[in-house]
């Protein structure tokens, strides 16, 4: 599929499956961003949002403003911790969403915190360092690192 002109004629389920099947090529496929926007606007249910977040992440890494806003909304504003965690995974590598990922590190759900930490760990050139989590947390790891270096383990 090189062009997605007739995607509007497909059912919602078929459009979602097509966008997911494109994988990383969605960013370079002509008409894919427009098809994504139309599909995302057609339904905002849990299922549709959850399944469209990975293609949104690929489009967001390519710089698509609508996809960035879509992932940001799921990551920051959604009530479901499942969607916030999926949004954090989709935000991996999107430098514009680093602030939201930093905020997700203090989410009430451990799944969201874990997904945000994994997403932040995937950044090569972060704009700012990871936030500090307290004196004893960092001291503990510095102590263990120093101990194992001295013992030679």
């Amino acid at each position: 599929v090189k062009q997605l002109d007739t995607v509007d004629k497909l059912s919602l389920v078929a459009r979602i499956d097509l966008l997911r099947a494109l994988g990383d090529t969605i960013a370079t496929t002509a008409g894919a961003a427009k098809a994504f926007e139309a599909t995302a606007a057609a339904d905002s249910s849990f299922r549709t949002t959850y399944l469209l977040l990975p293609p949104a992440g690929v489009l967001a890494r390519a710089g698509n403003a609508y996809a960035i806003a879509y992932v940001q909304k799921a990551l920051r504003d959604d009530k479901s911790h499942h969607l916030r965690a999926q949004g954090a995974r989709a935000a991996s590598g999107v430098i514009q969403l680093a602030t939201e990922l930093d905020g997700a590190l203090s989410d009430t759900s451990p799944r969201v915190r874990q997904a945000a930490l994994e997403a932040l760990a995937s950044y090569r050139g972060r704009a700012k360092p990871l936030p500090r989590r307290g004196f004893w947390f960092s001291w503990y790891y510095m102590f263990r690192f120093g101990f194992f270096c001295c013992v030679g383990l």
Side-chain angles (χ1 to χ4, degrees):
V1 175
K2 290 292 180 191
Q3 188 143 1
L4 300 175
D5 289 337
T6 61
V7 75
D8 296 336
K9 298 176 185 174
L10 299 173
S11 69
L12 179 65
V13 173
R15 285 186 280 170
I16 292 170
D17 288 344
L18 178 63
L19 291 170
R20 289 171 48 91
L22 287 172
D24 290 340
T25 63
I26 193 171
T28 58
T29 303
K34 181 182 165 194
F36 171 78
E37 290 179 29
T39 305
D43 185 25
S44 61
S45 68
F46 174 88
R47 178 187 181 278
T48 301
T49 305
Y50 189 86
L51 293 175
L52 283 180
L53 278 169
V58 175
L59 287 171
R61 281 188 285 284
N64 184 294
Y66 184 85
I68 292 171
Y70 189 79
V71 173
Q72 184 179 35
K73 181 181 176 197
L75 179 58
R76 189 181 347 157
D77 301 333
D78 208 281
K79 293 181 291 187
S80 170
H81 68 275
H82 297 289
L83 288 179
R84 291 194 312 271
Q86 184 77 337
R89 285 188 285 273
S92 176
V94 183
I95 198 72
Q96 295 93 333
L97 297 174
T99 304
E100 281 77 13
L101 286 171
D102 282 341
L105 288 174
S106 28
D107 194 275
T108 57
S109 171
R111 292 178 189 213
V112 177
R113 293 192 304 263
Q114 178 183 4
L117 188 60
E118 289 171 358
L120 286 170
S122 71
Y123 280 83
R124 294 266 183 231
R126 282 192 33 86
K128 59 182 184 174
L130 287 173
R132 294 179 182 242
R133 293 289 176 208
F135 172 75
W136 292 111
F137 180 79
S138 57
W139 181 85
Y140 172 76
Y141 284 104
M142 288 190 309
F143 173 76
R144 287 197 54 171
F145 178 72
F147 176 76
F148 286 121
C149 287
C150 293
V151 175
L153 297 177

